[in-house]
């Protein structure tokens, strides 16, 4: 297996991916990118190739339009910039087949060298270019939730990636990591233990961080200024980042990438 200590001068390419929808991959990509960029102060680039909805690019456009009409959010943006000096993390919108090429072109043209580039991919490996793009990643993070249909699809997806991409020494992908998401803290069903035993037998790495379900995952900036959930232009609120384990999740990923 490829060494986990291998690094690249161009930073790390990672993706939160799953071929099964409804596990929050795009929401987690936004939350992770914003925490890493605005709070942890690591330069981030997001490549939105989730054709045809391009949800992260669409969210950025909605947020900028909302901010133009809302003095409260304008003030928050100014305060964030004064406190951190961090500009908005950039987004590239492209097709999956062109993701690596467009990412490289953007970095070269803009003189931008992000430590971490996050790719948001379509929820199906059948889309053109998805497998090729996955093979150019350094690490993949695969969300799971305790649903039999989701788990069967997720484990099949993970095994295919591991056998055909991770174990291929000619490809860049070093490792995949599974992690639990959308957990109800009030419930710990036997299903978790059963699937963790299967994951162990399959020799698939499992992250320590468990992401609980929080309604703010699905809340963008609201025009009336009453709340901040996931945002492409503002860092997650500290209490929310802690309670939703975004901070813990980001720190575990930084540890796996060996970024201080």
């Amino acid at each position: 297996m490829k060494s986990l200590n291998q690094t690249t001068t161009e930073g790390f390419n990672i993706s939160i991916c799953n071929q099964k929808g409804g596990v929050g991959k795009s929401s987690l990509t936004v939350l992770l990118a914003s925490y890493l960029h605005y709070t942890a102060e690591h330069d981030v680039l997001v490549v939105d190739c989730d054709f045809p909805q391009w949800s992260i690019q669409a969210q950025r456009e909605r947020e900028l339009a909302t901010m133009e009409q809302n003095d409260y959010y304008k003030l928050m943006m100014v305060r964030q910039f004064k406190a951190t000096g961090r500009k908005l993390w950039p987004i590239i919108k492209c097709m999956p087949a062109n993701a690596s090429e467009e990412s490289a072109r953007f970095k070269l043209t803009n003189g931008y060298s992000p430590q971490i580039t996050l790719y948001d991919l379509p929820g199906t490996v059948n889309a053109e270019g998805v497998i090729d793009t996955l093979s150019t990643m350094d690490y993949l993070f695969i969300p799971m939730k305790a649903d039999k249909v989701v788990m069967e699809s997720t484990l099949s997806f993970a095994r295919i990636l591991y056998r055909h991409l991770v174990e291929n020494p000619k490809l860049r992908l070093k490792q995949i990591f599974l992690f639990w998401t959308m957990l109800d803290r009030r419930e710990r069903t036997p299903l978790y233990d059963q699937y963790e035993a299967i994951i162990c037998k399959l020799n698939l790495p499992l992250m320590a961080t468990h992401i609980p379900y929080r309604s703010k995952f699905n809340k963008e900036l609201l025009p009336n200024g009453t709340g901040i959930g996931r945002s492409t232009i503002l860092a997650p609120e500290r209490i929310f980042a802690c309670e939703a384990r975004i901070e813990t999740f980001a720190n575990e990923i930084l540890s796996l990438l060996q970024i201080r």
Side-chain angles (χ1 to χ4, degrees):
M1 187 175 68
K2 303 161 198 172
S3 171
L4 296 181
N5 295 321
Q6 181 183 349
T7 59
T8 66
T9 57
E10 60 188 70
F12 291 94
N13 295 331
I14 69 172
S15 178
I16 298 174
C17 62
N18 197 318
Q19 67 175 354
K20 194 67 179 175
V23 293
K25 64 181 183 64
S26 295
S27 295
L28 284 169
T29 298
V30 169
L31 286 163
L32 179 62
S34 291
Y35 181 87
L36 289 172
H37 190 80
Y38 303 128
T39 303
E41 300 187 0
H42 295 290
D43 288 342
V44 164
L45 169 66
V46 172
V47 182
D48 185 355
C49 39
D50 189 10
F51 172 82
Q53 60 265 31
W54 288 300
S55 58
I56 296 179
Q57 174 64 34
Q59 180 180 342
R60 169 65 64 81
E61 292 172 357
R62 289 193 299 269
E63 287 185 294
L64 291 176
T66 296
M67 188 184 67
E68 284 299 313
Q69 305 298 321
N70 191 299
D71 290 338
Y72 173 71
Y73 290 134
K74 288 180 183 177
L75 178 60
M76 292 191 70
M77 281 284 296
V78 170
R79 288 177 174 172
Q80 177 173 271
F81 181 76
K82 286 184 176 179
T84 66
R86 309 293 289 174
K87 297 180 180 180
L88 300 184
W89 43 261
I91 304 175
I92 301 171
K93 172 185 171 182
C94 62
M95 296 295 291
N98 303 327
S100 297
E101 180 182 343
E102 291 298 324
S103 174
R105 180 181 293 113
F106 178 89
K107 294 172 186 177
L108 181 63
T109 302
N110 294 275
Y112 187 60
S113 301
Q115 290 170 289
I116 299 173
T117 301
L118 293 107
Y119 290 73
D120 191 40
L121 294 158
T124 172
V125 294
N126 294 323
E128 182 182 359
V130 169
I131 290 294
D132 288 341
T133 299
L134 288 172
S135 71
T136 67
M137 299 295 101
D138 292 295
Y139 300 96
L140 299 176
F141 300 91
I142 303 176
M144 311 177 292
K145 67 176 183 178
D147 174 276
K148 289 185 177 181
V149 174
V150 172
M151 286 303 302
E152 288 175 3
S153 174
T154 299
L155 291 180
S156 175
F157 176 64
R159 291 182 71 187
I160 289 172
L161 293 181
Y162 191 85
R163 289 178 177 176
H164 296 281
L165 302 185
V166 175
E167 291 189 330
N168 186 338
K170 296 180 180 179
L171 300 179
R172 177 168 174 162
L173 183 62
K174 302 175 187 67
Q175 189 54 281
I176 61 175
F177 296 95
L178 299 166
F179 67 95
W180 291 110
T181 188
M182 303 179 74
L183 268 71
D184 186 338
R185 290 190 303 178
R186 299 168 299 178
E187 181 182 14
R188 172 76 183 188
T189 69
L191 196 60
Y192 290 100
D193 296 327
Q194 293 169 10
Y195 277 116
E196 285 186 7
I198 294 172
I199 291 167
C200 182
K201 289 181 180 180
L202 294 174
N203 293 317
L204 295 173
L206 180 64
M207 294 180 69
T209 304
H210 296 174
I211 307 293
Y213 173 78
R214 289 291 183 274
S215 61
K216 277 191 176 182
F217 281 150
N218 302 317
K219 292 181 180 178
E220 300 179 18
L221 299 186
L222 303 178
N224 59 8
T226 58
I228 298 174
R230 72 177 191 272
S231 173
T232 72
I233 66 175
L234 294 169
E237 294 173 337
R238 182 167 296 178
I239 293 177
F240 170 57
C242 181
E243 290 182 348
R245 303 284 181 86
I246 300 303
E247 180 179 7
T248 306
F249 183 56
N251 287 335
E252 185 172 1
I253 287 177
L254 290 173
S255 177
L256 290 169
L257 302 185
Q258 297 186 6
I259 296 177
R260 296 182 179 179

